Amino acid sequence: MYNENKCHTGRMNRGCGPRGGRFGGHHHGKFAHHAHEMFGKGFRRVPANIEENDSEFIIHLFAPALTKEHLKVITKDDVLTITYAPHEETDSSQKFSRREYSNGAFERSFALNGKVLADNISAKYADGILKVTLPKNPETNVPAKDIAVN
């Protein structure tokens, strides 16, 4: 699992701490150890933007030049996991004098915190962007309410 120990101030990750706010909180404990193991074995970090509107969250994962068939998007235990595992090429005829990017394996995980309808999640990969649409669960996504201070 991916683990980033930073405080986020965007709409999706308000505040700091073990849950990281409304959606997509930090992973601690066994997940943090697992993340260290994976990144030490050639996993790469891919950037993601999370958009929110009235009815859904949309994850835009920037990962150009991938083979769509090697992408895997799953939900389990209220965590969305996006994995890319390309077939290893043992005989590469390309010789690079400089290499700044690769299309290697990666994994990103996002805590759903009961905020989405997991059965209605959809994903589409086009133009180097994986777009995962997560419909909001109306029972758990209650709008903020102003409380008068007397």
Side-chain angles (χ1 to χ4, degrees), residues 8-113:
H8 297 281
T9 57
R11 288 182 57 105
M12 302 298 288
N13 292 316
R14 292 188 181 125
C16 298
R19 296 302 281 179
R22 295 179 55 202
F23 175 85
H26 303 298
H27 294 290
H28 294 282
K30 68 178 182 177
F31 295 121
H33 177 70
H34 187 58
H36 177 70
E37 288 178 2
M38 287 191 314
F39 284 110
K41 294 181 181 176
F43 275 75
R44 65 186 173 112
R45 184 178 189 280
V46 292
N49 292 339
I50 302 175
E51 175 185 351
E52 179 181 1
N53 60 42
D54 291 338
S55 62
E56 60 197 9
F57 299 104
I58 303 168
I59 298 172
H60 302 267
L61 196 79
F62 180 71
L66 301 184
T67 304
K68 189 182 337 184
E69 293 76 25
H70 299 157
L71 277 167
K72 186 176 183 181
V73 180
I74 63 167
T75 59
K76 181 179 180 185
D77 298 330
D78 208 27
V79 174
L80 174 80
T81 303
I82 302 168
T83 306
Y84 182 70
H87 293 299
E88 298 288 329
E89 291 186 25
T90 56
D91 181 33
S92 178
S93 61
Q94 294 177 311
K95 304 283 188 226
F96 295 97
S97 60
R98 181 180 181 118
R99 188 167 188 169
E100 293 187 358
Y101 73 92
S102 71
N103 293 334
F106 67 83
E107 182 174 292
R108 288 291 305 261
S109 294
F110 302 88
L112 301 178
N113 297 333

